[in-house]
Amino acid sequence: MNYKKIKNSLGLLSGALVLTVFTAGCDVTNPGPIQDEFLGDEAAQIGLVNGAIRSIVNGYTDRAFDMALISRQIFPGGQIGAWGTAVQVHAGNIQPEYGANFTAMHQARFIAETAIQRFTEAGASDNRLYLAHLWAGFSYRILGEWWCDTVLPTTTDPTNTDPPEYFAGTTDPYFERAVASFTSALSFAATDAERDAAYAGRAQAHLWLGNWQQAHDDAAQVSIDFVQALDQDESESGLYNYIWEANSGTFRSYTVKFTFYEDYYLQTGDPRVRWGTDPAYPLAVGSLSG
């Protein structure tokens, strides 16, 4: 990542804006926050959808790196500094600070459910309702995959102020709501790509619930070349692609050596776990010789 280039670009942009203001002699007024009653308007609707997606990205990026280490999808290279992780994570232990990611995923769920309520009241398009239900489903699915217990409001009504329910030792309620969300998304889907995303998400949730036949049937509906990607952004650390950053030429904080996927990819060529080597960097940064 070229930080200098980003900084210079912002500097030039700022200079251009200042020059424009002084040359034109314009008065600039901050319009302030959007009034609550306008959040359901068509022009504002995509902002709520993008807000839910941003919260998912913010909660997913660095924890995807840590969870991959803990589950041994990747193996720590020994780095504990920049783009490395604590030795406790290397040993497979979840850390207390992961609570911030829990908050981000619930924030995504709340924003998506707020969008559903407001879009429904405003008579929004099928596409907007599809997107709101879809990302609610993905937020629930990730919550179910990453945590061991469930904490949920009693309803999906975002105005509900009742104390949340706690389900110890199970995340089934997350996956049940994910199934419901993806099912709702399917009712608004209009294209093959939209149906692919909803069927794929629902198949994954059914799989976690042990609904094998439903998972199989949904997966069979998904196009073989389907990919669902999160857009990430190098302009803000909370939106970085941590998996890429942590193994760039500078940092090299992990390896697939000693993992199941090292041999599995060589034997199967499965594109979901593709890895490669770079002769210029034979060792991870934290590796010890001998």
Side-chain angles (χ1 to χ4, degrees), residues 126-127 129-138 141 175 177-207 214-215 217-223 226-229:
D126 284 358
N127 175 260
L129 285 162
Y130 160 79
L131 290 170
H133 284 288
L134 181 78
W135 291 106
F138 279 121
R141 200 209 78 195
F175 292 117
R177 288 204 184 175
V179 167
S181 297
F182 289 126
T183 300
S184 295
L186 280 168
S187 70
F188 294 105
T191 67
D192 288 342
E194 290 177 352
R195 283 184 283 271
D196 278 346
Y199 274 124
R202 195 171 72 174
Q204 291 167 317
H206 274 311
L207 194 66
Q214 293 97 317
D217 293 345
D218 279 352
Q221 300 293 324
V222 181
S223 303
F226 166 73
V227 174
Q228 181 72 31

Side-chain angles (χ1 to χ4, degrees), residues 27-114:
D27 292 326
V28 179
T29 302
N30 185 343
I34 297 174
Q35 296 299 309
D36 185 79
E37 62 265 27
F38 299 133
L39 288 175
D41 288 358
E42 184 176 0
Q45 288 169 5
I46 195 62
L48 282 173
V49 172
N50 287 338
I53 297 172
R54 187 189 189 283
S55 290
I56 290 176
V57 173
N58 194 36
Y60 188 82
T61 51
D62 55 340
R63 286 296 82 80
F65 176 39
D66 290 348
M67 294 298 184
L69 286 167
I70 290 169
S71 63
R72 287 298 183 258
Q73 291 177 298
I74 55 178
F75 195 83
Q79 174 78 335
I80 59 172
W83 298 103
T85 52
V87 292
Q88 292 90 341
V89 176
H90 293 183
N93 297 305
I94 294 175
Q95 300 301 291
E97 61 265 24
Y98 291 0
N101 304 84
F102 179 78
T103 300
M105 290 303 168
H106 271 287
Q107 184 180 56
R109 169 198 62 74
F110 176 81
I111 294 172
E113 289 172 347
T114 299

Side-chain angles (χ1 to χ4, degrees), residues 164-175:
E165 293 182 292
Y166 173 63
F167 303 87
T170 180
T171 56
D172 283 0
Y174 285 136
F175 292 117

